[in-house]
């Protein structure tokens, strides 16, 4: 069985400071992992994805995430937060075959303070 | 590439009426389409998975007679909320997956309000 845990429901950072959104997963085999961002009343936008290639994944808007198998983690980071980063972030795990269903984390709301 | 559209983006209807939401993959053939429901300040909840030409597979607890899903072609899936009630008010999001890879491409969502 697969599952994903986002360790923080809310994160607040000041503009210009680093962002860390934590995600741990459980999977019986090598999964695909994704981070999505959702702005209010909008659909989901893909930030980055891990699909068994390089463990350090770079995404859009300066975000990156590192796949750490030993820690079963896929934390999302950004060196310097911007006001426009304020949104809901979802970590997702998906099997590499079969139904390809997404297992969503509960989400982390990022607040960026001026 | 990999654009998914939804129509309408929002809809208001009276209790007891039916509402149809369309999900289209604009530039690729969608082998599988997924329908999600999202309550305010919550994560996405998968309602059903559909493959072109096949009956949809519903998640546990989702009423298949209430939420009718049709995946008639490789670029179109529809979700019909039958006899809608206020508790069906929600944000409905579809996604589509192509023939290869695990990534799903999401539509912009449809806000349904039932009065």
């Amino acid at each position: 069985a697969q599952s994903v845990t986002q360790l923080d429901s809310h994160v607040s950072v000041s503009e210009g400071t680093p962002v860390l959104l934590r995600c741990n997963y459980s999977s019986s085999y090598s999964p695909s992992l994704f981070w999505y961002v959702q702005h209010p009343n909008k659909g989901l936008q893909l930030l980055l994805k891990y699909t068994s290639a390089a463990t350090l994944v770079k995404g859009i808007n300066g975000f990156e995430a590192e796949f750490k198998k030993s820690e079963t983690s896929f934390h999302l980071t950004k060196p310097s937060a911007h006001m426009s980063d304020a949104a809901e972030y979802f970590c997702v795990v998906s099997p590499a075959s079969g139904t390809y269903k997404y297992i969503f984390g509960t989400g982390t709301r990022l607040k960026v303070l001026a | 590439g990999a654009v998914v559209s939804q129509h309408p983006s929002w809809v208001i209807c009276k209790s007891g009426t039916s509402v149809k939401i369309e999900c289209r993959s604009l530039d690729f053939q969608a082998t599988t389409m997924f329908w999600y429901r999202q309550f305010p300040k919550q994560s996405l909840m998968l309602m059903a998975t559909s493959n072109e030409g096949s009956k949809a597979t519903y998640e546990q607890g989702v009423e298949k007679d209430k939420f009718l899903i049709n995946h008639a072609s490789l670029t179109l899936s529809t979700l019909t909320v039958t006899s809608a009630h206020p508790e069906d008010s929600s944000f409905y999001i579809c996604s589509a997956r192509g023939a290869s890879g695990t990534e799903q491409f999401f539509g912009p969502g449809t806000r349904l309000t039932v009065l």
Side-chain angles (χ1 to χ4, degrees):
Chain A
Q2 295 186 312
S3 67
V4 60
T5 302
Q6 290 185 243
L7 296 154
D8 307 293
S9 59
H10 293 82
V11 170
S12 291
V13 300
S14 297
E15 190 175 22
T17 64
V19 175
L20 170 64
L21 305 183
R22 298 183 293 166
C23 173
N24 284 97
Y25 71 93
S26 172
S27 178
S28 54
Y29 39 82
S30 184
S32 294
L33 293 159
F34 307 83
W35 274 100
Y36 285 87
V37 62
Q38 185 181 33
H39 289 92
N41 297 308
K42 299 290 185 183
L44 274 69
Q45 180 183 21
L46 179 68
L47 286 176
L48 48 80
K49 60 183 177 182
Y50 167 79
T51 54
S52 76
T55 56
L56 182 61
V57 182
K58 293 188 183 297
I60 62 171
N61 301 334
F63 285 96
E64 64 180 40
E66 186 171 7
F67 174 70
K68 291 186 176 180
K69 188 175 181 179
S70 61
E71 298 176 11
T72 61
S73 69
F74 190 57
H75 300 335
L76 181 70
T77 61
K78 182 174 180 177
S80 176
H82 192 273
M83 295 297 288
S84 60
D85 294 327
E88 189 82 20
Y89 291 79
F90 294 101
C91 182
V92 174
V93 62
S94 177
S97 62
T99 64
Y100 300 100
K101 286 184 186 179
Y102 273 10
I103 308 298
F104 277 83
T106 50
T108 298
R109 182 164 298 275
L110 176 65
K111 188 174 182 179
V112 182
L113 307 171
Chain B
V3 179
V4 175
S5 70
Q6 274 184 251
H7 179 79
S9 55
W10 59 270
V11 57
I12 301 173
C13 69
K14 292 183 179 180
S15 187
T17 60
S18 294
V19 174
K20 180 184 284 188
I21 302 170
E22 291 187 350
C23 177
R24 293 180 184 273
S25 57
L26 298 184
D27 51 3
F28 68 103
Q29 293 186 324
T31 305
T32 309
M33 285 186 164
F34 304 84
W35 286 95
Y36 296 86
R37 183 173 181 177
Q38 186 179 32
F39 291 104
K41 300 187 187 299
Q42 293 189 26
S43 189
L44 279 70
M45 180 191 79
L46 179 64
M47 299 174 67
T49 304
S50 73
N51 293 295
E52 184 262 340
S54 304
K55 287 186 178 180
T57 301
Y58 291 81
E59 295 298 300
Q60 192 172 6
V62 177
E63 299 177 63
K64 58 183 177 183
D65 293 332
K66 180 165 191 61
F67 298 101
L68 300 179
I69 291 171
N70 183 277
H71 191 163
S73 76
L74 282 171
T75 59
L76 174 64
S77 176
T78 59
L79 167 67
T80 302
V81 183
T82 61
S83 187
H85 287 93
E87 57 265 32
D88 298 324
S89 299
S90 193
F91 195 50
Y92 292 88
I93 302 175
C94 74
S95 71
R97 189 187 72 84
S100 62
T102 58
E103 185 177 350
Q104 295 178 25
F105 302 95
F106 287 84
T110 297
R111 172 75 57 193
L112 170 63
T113 302
V114 184
L115 302 177

